[in-house]
């Protein structure tokens, strides 16, 4: 039997426990003497669906990265296209149009410094080059040889064009772009069209393609000469390529049929990888070997499908809500504070205003000391053992100013708010609290800061609102959602003195729950024109949809952090006692056990 | 095959559904203890383990409708002052099960 030592030239590490499972040990093989197993940390490769192109098309060009991609030109179901689309990692939006409509063109560069060259418009084999600045294309220097289905790679100021078809024959000549003009480079060894491309002007890669038959040949360019590399396993024409000369990926195309076959190149050998979900030819692509993007192409019709390739040692576990223990008293419009495993709920409304406090330990709610003033729509901040409740609605139409402080067993009176209000949001701690917004009874933009004994005025919200959510601290606060006369999507960020605009919620709503920090916020539930279960995560710039709650509801309580949130109470068609616990998405590196079979 | 299974079950709190359940199959709760579960082996098993009573979609929708109707009646009976107060609850609207 062949041993690993003979195969690989070195011995397998003999260890009593697994090494740290991080990228530093990626590809390592070891023998765990404790479990008696041979193990390895291997990459997990997958294609996942992305947002569809706005316009299905084929034989177009791609550039950029998986999260900042550019697709342009090609042929849609009816016409040769000038259209450009830009991808942000989730969806495509329209960019500026090419001046010259064409298909089978080549592309290079980035989303904001793109390069389009060559192609065909059913009349002329194109020499035209165009340069993209993120919004518009302008003319660049022309190719010496008009051609379609060419190899294209590099950057806007260091582009590479090779091979293709000039209307008479496949060509082998190479041209290099310097940002203004093309000059001749060394010729391909095998003239061909519809090859895949990757790399740079001085380290380029062309693979497979069509002579009179599909060929598996790979060639590597060093800035002056093409030399043969390893053959692809599945010869094909019109694949897409991405990455570098020594770390490339090729996918899609047509062999004897449309193929989704994906192969990875290490500079000498192509290795089969995970196939595209949708086999197709005339596909566009961009990105890197470990993070590629495939989009568009032709199955039996032009398609808009986008797929994202990921190669990682980590398995991502999706975010999810799980049921927590039910509250003792079902209620809505309650206050909340603390964490997922040390939560605090107080006040609220059943058929009457509530003073009851309940404490959560991660599984069960138990009664705590009652508020001195029963009320609903109360603001909350702090922790389970140092909570803060302020404002709210008793019978006064303008709300109340009362503040109360919780010590883990009893509430005592604190300093009154400067402005009586109900349905405000809160953030921070018992000794460095922040209260903002609310109804007086019209929507308020007032912010107040608490120091443990008194409230003082802070900077006003730009948008007055109530039934909003809050998160963060007194010097790094976050306000989101709520209502004026309509539900809002607005987010504002507080720096200790002033509010500035943040990214909008995807779903405008009021009466939502909130948790987290200014740069890692969590929004859940609420009311649009109906109760919603939507969950969104904030990264300091924008909100991203996450896994929905199980029970849609409004006027609920919330606390915790972005990766461990807690939602409790609220109203569906009735007041509910339901608790849900949010666990954010997380990555896990897992060692694989190797077998001899 | 239908996409969903419909049923009623009482939410017993912690552990009634887990994060793993949510990752494994579609699960949504509605008024009247109505639960809509993905029509998969795991989804069906979950409903059975929760002593759920399977309903047809029409039966489940009828339960939800009754809850909405009751909530609307309760809202209609509120004093006008309470209905018109800024931020007050809107009249409950119909809920359509998926």
């Amino acid at each position: 039997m062949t041993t690993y030592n003979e195969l690989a030239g070195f011995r397998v590490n003999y260890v009593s426990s697994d090494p740290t499972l991080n990228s530093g040990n990626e590809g390592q093989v070891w023998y765990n003497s404790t479990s008696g197993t041979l193990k390895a940390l291997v990459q997990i490769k997958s294609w996942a669906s992305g947002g569809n192109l706005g316009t299905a098309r084929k034989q177009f060009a791609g550039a950029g990265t998986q999260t900042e991609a550019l697709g342009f030109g090609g042929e849609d179901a009816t016409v040769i296209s000038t259209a450009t689309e830009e991808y942000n990692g989730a969806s495509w939006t329209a960019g500026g149009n090419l001046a010259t409509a064409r298909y089978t063109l080549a592309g290079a560069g980035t989303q904001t410094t793109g390069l389009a060259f060559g192609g065909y418009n059913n009349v002329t084999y194109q020499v035209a080059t165009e340069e993209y600045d993120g919004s518009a294309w302008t003319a660049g220097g022309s190719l010496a040889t008009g051609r379609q289905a060419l190899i294209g790679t590099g950057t806007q100021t260091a582009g590479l064009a090779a091979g293709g078809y000039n209307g008479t024959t496949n060509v082998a000549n190479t041209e290099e772009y310097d940002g203004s003009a093309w000059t001749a480079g060394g010729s391909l060894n095998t003239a061909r069209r519809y090859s895949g491309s990757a790399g740079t002007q001085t380290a380029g890669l062309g693979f497979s393609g069509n002579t009179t038959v599909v060929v598996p040949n790979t060639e590597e360019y060093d800035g002056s000469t093409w030399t043969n590399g390893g053959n692809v396993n599945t010869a094909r024409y019109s694949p897409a390529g991405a990455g570098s000369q020594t770390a490339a990926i090729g996918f899609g195309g047509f062999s004897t049929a449309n193929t989704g076959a994906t192969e990875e190149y290490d500079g000498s050998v192509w290795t089969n990888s995970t196939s595209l979900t949708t086999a197709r030819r005339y596909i566009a692509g961009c990105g890197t070997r470990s993070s590629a993007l495939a989009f568009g192409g032709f199955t039996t019709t032009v398609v808009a499908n986008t797929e994202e390739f990921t190669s990682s040692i980590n398995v991502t576990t999706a975010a999810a809500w799980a049921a927590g223990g039910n509250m003792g008293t079902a209620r809505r419009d309650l206050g909340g504070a603390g964490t997922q495993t040390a939560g605090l709920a107080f006040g609220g409304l059943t058929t009457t205003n509530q003073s009851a406090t309940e404490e959560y330990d991660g599984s069960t709610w138990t009664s705590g000391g009652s508020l001195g003033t029963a009320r609903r729509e109360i603001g909350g901040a702090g922790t389970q053992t140092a909570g803060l409740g302020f404002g709210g609605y008793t019978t006064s139409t303008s709300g109340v100013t009362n503040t109360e402080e919780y010590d883990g067993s009893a509430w005592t009176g604190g300093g009154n708010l400067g402005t009586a209000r109900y349905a405000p949001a809160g953030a921070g701690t018992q000794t460095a609290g922040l209260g903002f917004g609310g109804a007086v009874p019209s929507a308020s933009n007032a912010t107040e800061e608490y120091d443990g004994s008194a409230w003082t005025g802070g900077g006003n919200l730009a948008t007055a609102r109530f039934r909003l959510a809050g998160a963060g601290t007194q010097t790094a606060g976050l306000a989101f959602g709520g209502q004026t006369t309509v539900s809002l999507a607005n987010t504002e960020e507080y720096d200790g003195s002033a509010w500035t605009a943040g990214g909008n919620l995807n779903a405008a709503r009021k009466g939502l729950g909130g948790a987290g920090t200014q740069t890692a916020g969590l929004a859940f539930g609420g009311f649009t024109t109906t109760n919603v279960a939507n969950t969104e995560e904030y990264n300091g710039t924008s909100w991203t949809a996450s896994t929905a709650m199980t029970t849609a509801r409004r006027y609920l309580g919330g606390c915790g952090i972005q990766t461990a949130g807690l939602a409790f109470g609220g109203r569906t068609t009735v007041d509910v006692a339901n608790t849900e616990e949010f666990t954010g998405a997380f990555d896990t590196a897992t060692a694989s056990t190797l077998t001899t079979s | 095959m239908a996409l969903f299974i419909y049923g009623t079950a009482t939410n017993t709190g912690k552990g009634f559904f887990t994060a793993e359940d949510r990752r494994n199959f579609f699960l949504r709760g509605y008024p009247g203890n109505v639960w809509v579960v993905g029509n998969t082996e795991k989804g069906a098993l979950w409903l059975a383990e929760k002593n759920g009573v399977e309903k047809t979609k029409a039966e489940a929708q009828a339960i939800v409708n009754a809850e909405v109707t009751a909530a609307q009646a309760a809202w209609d009976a509120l004093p006008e002052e309470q209905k018109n107060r800024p931020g007050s609850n809107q009249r409950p609207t119909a809920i359509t099960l998926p």
Side-chain angles (χ1 to χ4, degrees):
Chain A
M1 187 180 79
T2 303
T3 65
Y4 186 80
N5 189 12
E6 290 165 347
L7 276 171
F10 44 83
R11 295 172 185 274
V12 171
N13 277 337
Y14 187 95
V15 293
S16 59
S17 61
D18 291 344
T20 303
L21 301 179
N22 60 25
S23 58
N25 286 309
E26 184 179 316
Q28 292 290 310
V29 178
W30 67 92
Y31 181 78
N32 185 319
S33 60
T34 304
S35 61
T37 50
L38 186 62
K39 304 178 90 172
L41 187 58
V42 297
Q43 288 180 319
I44 298 156
K45 302 170 189 300
S46 64
W47 286 99
S49 60
N52 283 353
L53 285 159
T55 303
R57 53 180 130 165
K58 63 177 182 174
Q59 293 169 304
F60 62 131
T65 68
Q66 190 185 68
T67 55
E68 293 182 6
L70 199 63
F72 43 97
E75 186 173 26
D76 63 27
T78 55
V79 299
I80 301 169
S81 179
T82 59
T84 297
E85 295 189 52
E86 298 172 2
Y87 192 62
N88 65 3
S91 59
W92 292 92
T93 53
N97 286 352
L98 286 161
T100 304
R102 46 186 142 161
Y103 64 100
T104 58
L105 71 166
T110 71
Q111 191 183 63
T112 55
T113 59
L115 192 68
F117 46 102
Y120 184 56
N121 63 1
N122 284 349
V123 178
T124 307
Y125 291 88
Q126 295 291 313
V127 295
T129 297
E130 296 186 53
E131 298 174 5
Y132 194 62
D133 66 1
S135 60
W137 292 94
T138 53
S142 294
L143 285 161
T145 302
R147 51 181 120 176
Q148 69 169 158
L150 64 163
I151 291 167
T153 189
T155 68
Q156 192 182 69
T157 55
L160 185 69
Y165 179 75
N166 66 4
T168 305
T169 185
N170 292 329
V171 297
N173 58 314
T174 295
E175 298 186 53
E176 299 173 8
Y177 192 62
D178 66 2
S180 59
W182 292 93
T183 54
S187 292
L188 285 162
N189 296 299
T190 303
R192 57 185 130 160
R193 62 180 180 263
Y194 284 124
S195 295
S197 316
T200 66
Q201 188 187 69
T202 54
L205 192 71
F207 56 94
S208 209
N210 194 309
T211 55
T212 54
V213 294
V214 290
V215 294
N217 309 44
T218 295
E219 296 193 44
E220 299 172 2
Y221 193 61
D222 65 3
S224 59
T225 305
W226 289 94
T227 53
N228 291 324
N231 286 353
V232 298
N233 297 298
T234 302
R236 63 189 90 183
Y237 74 86
S238 73
S244 69
Q245 190 184 68
T246 55
I249 185 168
F251 41 93
F254 187 97
S255 53
T256 55
N258 285 327
T259 180
T262 298
E263 300 186 39
E264 295 182 48
Y265 193 59
D266 64 3
S268 59
V269 176
W270 287 94
T271 305
N272 290 330
S273 187
T274 303
S275 292
L276 286 161
T277 305
T278 302
R280 48 189 138 158
R281 62 184 182 270
Y282 303 140
I283 187 173
C286 63
T288 66
R289 176 181 175 179
S290 61
S291 183
L293 192 71
F295 42 105
F298 186 87
T299 55
T300 55
T301 182
V302 288
V303 295
N305 308 40
T306 297
E307 296 188 45
E308 300 171 358
F309 181 78
T310 304
S311 176
S312 171
I313 59 171
N314 292 320
V315 173
T316 299
T317 303
W321 290 92
N326 288 341
M327 299 183 72
T329 302
R331 52 181 129 167
R332 65 182 184 273
D333 289 322
L334 65 168
T339 68
Q340 189 186 72
T341 54
L344 192 67
F346 45 96
L349 177 68
T350 56
T351 53
T352 58
N353 291 328
Q354 295 294 301
S355 61
T357 296
E358 296 188 50
E359 299 173 7
Y360 192 61
D361 65 2
S363 60
T364 305
W365 290 95
T366 52
S367 295
S370 294
L371 284 162
T373 303
R375 50 188 135 162
R376 61 182 183 264
E377 296 162 289
I378 184 172
T383 68
Q384 190 186 66
T385 55
L388 190 67
F390 53 94
Y393 186 90
T394 55
T395 54
S396 167
T397 55
S398 58
V400 297
T401 59
N402 307 42
T403 296
E404 297 189 48
E405 299 173 5
Y406 193 64
D407 66 1
S409 60
W411 291 93
T412 54
N416 284 349
L417 283 162
T419 303
R421 60 182 97 182
Y422 61 88
T429 67
Q430 190 185 69
T431 55
L434 193 67
F436 42 98
V440 292
S442 59
S444 170
N445 60 10
T447 297
E448 297 189 48
E449 298 173 5
Y450 194 63
D451 66 1
S453 60
W455 291 94
T456 53
N460 287 345
L461 285 160
T463 303
R465 57 182 110 177
F466 58 103
R467 287 203 186 282
L468 70 164
T473 67
Q474 190 184 69
T475 55
L478 193 67
F480 44 101
Q483 74 169 106
T484 49
T485 53
V486 295
S487 292
L488 301 169
N490 307 43
T491 296
E492 297 187 50
E493 298 171 4
Y494 194 63
D495 66 0
S497 60
W499 292 93
T500 53
N504 284 353
L505 285 162
N506 296 292
R509 48 189 144 152
K510 66 173 184 175
L512 68 167
T517 69
Q518 190 184 71
T519 55
L522 189 67
F524 41 94
F527 185 88
T528 56
T529 54
T530 184
N531 290 326
V532 294
N534 303 42
T535 301
E536 298 187 42
E537 296 180 27
Y538 193 62
N539 64 5
T541 305
S542 59
W543 290 94
T544 305
S546 185
T547 305
M549 296 175 67
T550 308
T551 301
R553 57 183 118 168
R554 63 186 185 272
Y555 310 150
L556 67 164
C559 66
I561 60 177
Q562 190 185 62
T563 55
L566 191 68
F568 43 95
R571 186 170 179 86
T572 57
T573 52
V574 294
D575 299 327
V576 296
N578 307 33
T579 298
E580 294 192 48
E581 300 170 2
F582 182 73
T583 303
F586 58 92
D587 291 335
T588 311
T590 304
S592 302
T593 299
L594 306 180
T595 65
T596 54
S597 58
Chain B
M1 190 173 76
L3 282 176
F4 302 112
I5 301 170
Y6 302 84
T8 54
T10 302
N11 183 347
T12 53
K14 185 78 174 180
F16 180 67
F17 57 86
T18 65
E20 201 57 29
D21 292 333
R22 289 296 312 276
R23 294 187 187 104
N24 284 340
F25 54 86
F26 181 94
L27 178 64
R28 292 286 188 280
Y30 293 90
N33 288 326
V34 169
W35 298 88
V36 178
V37 183
N39 189 6
T40 65
E41 185 178 346
K42 287 181 177 177
L45 186 60
W46 178 87
L47 187 61
E49 285 177 343
K50 304 308 170 193
N51 296 318
V53 179
E54 195 166 330
K55 305 284 184 184
T56 65
K57 182 177 181 181
E59 289 170 340
Q61 183 69 62
I63 293 169
V64 172
N65 290 348
E67 291 289 322
V68 171
T69 300
Q72 288 173 332
W75 189 91
D76 292 340
L78 289 173
E80 286 304 311
E81 176 276 327
Q82 199 167 333
K83 291 178 188 172
N84 297 330
R85 185 176 66 88
S88 65
N89 297 327
Q90 278 83 2
R91 189 174 193 269
T93 55
I95 296 171
T96 304
L97 296 180

